[in-house]
Amino acid sequence: MSVSAVSGAAASPSTAASDVAKATLDYNAFLTLMLEQMKNQDPTAPVDHAQNLAQLASFSNVEQSIKLNSKLDLLLAQGQAADAAGLIGKTLTSADGTVSGRITSVEIAGQGLVAHLEGGQSLTMATGVRLS
């Protein structure tokens, strides 16, 4: 049986958790389809089992890669949190020297670490920012 490629619009970015959920759903759907194919195959021309196993192994590898990426993202976030905790109490000065103060809290944002200073100012940790 031959299946042609399907093309479409690119998917929007999603979180690692939804990727894992999608992979699990797709993996279960693949297993259901494979079992139905085996149940309904023509006994005089059976499907090659080696091909089925190769497809199953490939799909399993994709699922494991998604789970591994999810765990690596979590590990990276934990590392950033540990780094952020070590900054509290230190003095931070902007690259141009206009903003300076003691760090009271640190936020992990999309653009990186954002330090909140005494006096209510915030400063994104970027190139040129001095920490003392």
Side-chain angles (χ1 to χ4, degrees), residues 80-118:
Q80 285 180 325
D83 289 345
L87 296 176
I88 296 174
K90 302 208 185 240
T91 302
L92 192 64
T93 306
S94 64
D96 60 3
T98 58
V99 178
S100 184
R102 198 171 73 95
I103 301 172
T104 58
S105 66
V106 179
E107 174 184 359
I108 300 172
Q111 70 270 21
L113 296 177
V114 177
H116 300 284
L117 309 176
E118 289 178 339

Side-chain angles (χ1 to χ4, degrees), residues 4-129:
S4 61
V6 176
S7 64
S12 62
S14 61
T15 62
S18 66
D19 287 344
V20 170
K22 258 195 280 189
T24 303
L25 176 68
D26 293 341
Y27 188 71
N28 290 335
F30 175 78
L31 287 176
T32 302
L33 287 171
M34 189 174 80
L35 288 174
E36 285 300 315
Q37 180 184 12
M38 287 177 167
K39 285 181 196 175
N40 297 311
Q41 69 181 330
D42 181 4
T44 61
V47 176
D48 183 16
H49 294 294
Q51 231 178 3
N52 280 344
L53 289 175
Q55 290 174 356
L56 184 60
S58 295
F59 207 82
S60 180
N61 285 339
V62 169
E63 181 187 27
Q64 292 303 316
S65 294
I66 291 171
K67 287 181 181 179
L68 179 63
N69 284 343
S70 174
K71 289 180 181 183
L72 287 174
D73 287 342
L74 179 62
L75 185 62
L76 180 61
Q78 288 174 342
Q80 285 180 325
D83 289 345
L87 296 176
I88 296 174
K90 302 208 185 240
T91 302
L92 192 64
T93 306
S94 64
D96 60 3
T98 58
V99 178
S100 184
R102 198 171 73 95
I103 301 172
T104 58
S105 66
V106 179
E107 174 184 359
I108 300 172
Q111 70 270 21
L113 296 177
V114 177
H116 300 284
L117 309 176
E118 289 178 339
Q121 295 175 312
S122 295
L123 187 59
T124 302
M125 300 292 288
T127 305
V129 174

